[in-house]
Amino acid sequence: MTIDLIVPGIRHADSGNFFLMAGPCVIEGEDIAMQIAERVVSITDRLKIPYIYKGSFRKANRSRADSFSGIGDEKALNILRKIGDTFGIPTVTDIHESHEAAIAAEFVDVLQIPAFLCRQTELLVAAAKTGKGVNVKKGQFLSAGAMRFALDKVVDSGNSKVMLTDRGNSFGYQDLIVDFRGIPEMRSFGVPVVMDCTHSLQQPNQVSGVTGGKPALIETIAKAAIAVGADGLFIETHPDPANAKSDGANMLHLDVLESLLRKLIRLREAVC
């Protein structure tokens, strides 16, 4: 299944490029969210890359209770709707509980299942029943092959608009590693496969309670993913990662996004 069947109306779907899911980790406020959207839309239109704006309306899985989790659900969801309407682009956000599926579906085009929750049957079924696109992130604790069962839960609930996203596997207590064999394996299920180039470089479970990361390797992960056939890339980006309110340690600086995407387009042309 191609991305335009999962996200109807997505621009540049026939360009032959990979698609991009990108934006801030969490909606921090309207001004910064709109600024990021405007920049990325300009870049992806110029490069003819199909684009889905990503922003969590709330972060439910923070390490510490005092970590920033959001500006309020309704306020953040309305910002996501405004971004979609203003720029004419689809949007994606995470859901964490079954009842959130129908709520978020009123505001966005794609519902994302966080990696830690990819086995939660009720959550997957609730997302499926909205009729929206569903992006299921592969658990850090699962093999690529095991994601077939998460996929089946959505499809068997009457929704074939599914994509799967790899974000690495736990490697010890405080690191992740990407097994790139998983991309072609999950693609064999007949759905688009995305590589999460930023979360796969997290260093979780730090003693400080603040997740670390290796953003210098984002380009490496992205290049390898394109080389093995990834259909899309997931990149969290921000104009000031050091001061982002969530996951700044593994974000891509917005200023370098275009140069990276240009390299990846050339790579895709070479390997396809």
Side-chain angles (χ1 to χ4, degrees):
M1 179 175 288
T2 58
I3 189 61
D4 56 315
L5 295 178
I6 297 172
V7 190
I10 190 170
R11 298 207 292 261
H12 312 301
D14 60 351
S15 66
N17 284 329
F18 53 86
F19 64 90
L20 177 68
M21 305 172 74
C25 177
V26 63
I27 299 298
E28 301 176 3
E30 183 172 324
D31 289 346
I32 187 69
M34 294 290 284
Q35 176 189 339
I36 294 169
E38 184 175 22
R39 288 276 302 276
V40 183
V41 167
S42 175
I43 293 167
T44 53
D45 276 350
R46 193 157 50 244
L47 300 180
K48 294 183 169 52
I49 294 173
Y51 174 49
I52 305 167
Y53 181 93
K54 183 270 167 184
S56 296
F57 73 89
R58 173 168 31 89
K59 297 299 292 183
N61 55 338
R62 305 307 308 278
S63 297
R64 290 169 29 171
D66 61 351
S67 296
F68 178 81
S69 61
I71 59 175
D73 294 358
E74 185 175 355
K75 185 175 181 180
L77 285 167
N78 274 304
I79 291 170
L80 284 163
R81 173 185 279 164
K82 183 174 181 179
I83 288 169
D85 291 345
T86 300
F87 298 102
I89 56 172
T91 55
V92 56
T93 198
D94 303 272
I95 58 171
H96 305 89
E97 298 183 60
S98 302
H99 74 271
E100 295 175 356
I103 297 169
E106 295 293 322
F107 297 86
V108 300
D109 303 278
V110 180
L111 301 177
Q112 181 165 280
I113 309 300
F116 281 127
L117 302 177
C118 69
R119 286 171 52 94
Q120 297 297 106
T121 302
E122 289 186 2
L123 183 62
L124 290 163
V125 171
K129 288 185 174 179
T130 66
K132 296 288 184 173
V134 180
N135 180 34
V136 188
K137 300 187 81 172
K138 185 182 77 63
Q140 302 93 318
F141 45 85
L142 289 179
S143 68
M147 286 301 290
R148 183 60 192 247
F149 305 111
L151 171 63
D152 287 345
K153 290 176 182 179
V154 179
V155 174
D156 291 347
S157 299
N159 189 338
S160 61
K161 297 187 291 186
V162 195
M163 50 185 148
L164 301 177
T165 295
D166 196 346
R167 49 99 76 235
N169 283 77
S170 295
F171 189 70
Y173 290 114
Q174 296 176 322
D175 207 358
L176 298 168
I177 191 165
V178 179
D179 180 354
F180 285 98
R181 298 174 299 178
I183 291 177
E185 183 172 3
M186 289 191 291
R187 289 189 83 232
S188 73
F189 303 157
V191 296
V193 174
V194 182
M195 183 69 233
D196 184 339
C197 303
T198 45
H199 288 102
S200 59
L201 291 167
Q202 282 184 334
Q203 293 179 304
N205 305 317
Q206 300 296 310
V207 293
S208 65
V210 178
T211 297
K214 297 181 179 180
L217 292 174
I218 291 171
E219 181 172 323
T220 300
I221 296 292
K223 285 179 174 177
I226 292 298
V228 299
D231 301 284
L233 299 176
F234 180 108
I235 297 176
E236 288 189 342
T237 186
H238 195 282
D240 186 11
N243 290 301
K245 294 185 177 182
S246 177
D247 279 0
N250 50 268
M251 277 189 181
L252 182 73
H253 199 293
L254 188 54
D255 287 348
V256 301
L257 177 63
E258 181 168 1
S259 61
L260 172 60
L261 293 175
R262 287 185 180 277
K263 292 176 186 178
L264 296 174
I265 288 172
R266 293 197 296 272
L267 178 60
R268 184 176 175 89
E269 290 171 348
V271 299
C272 286

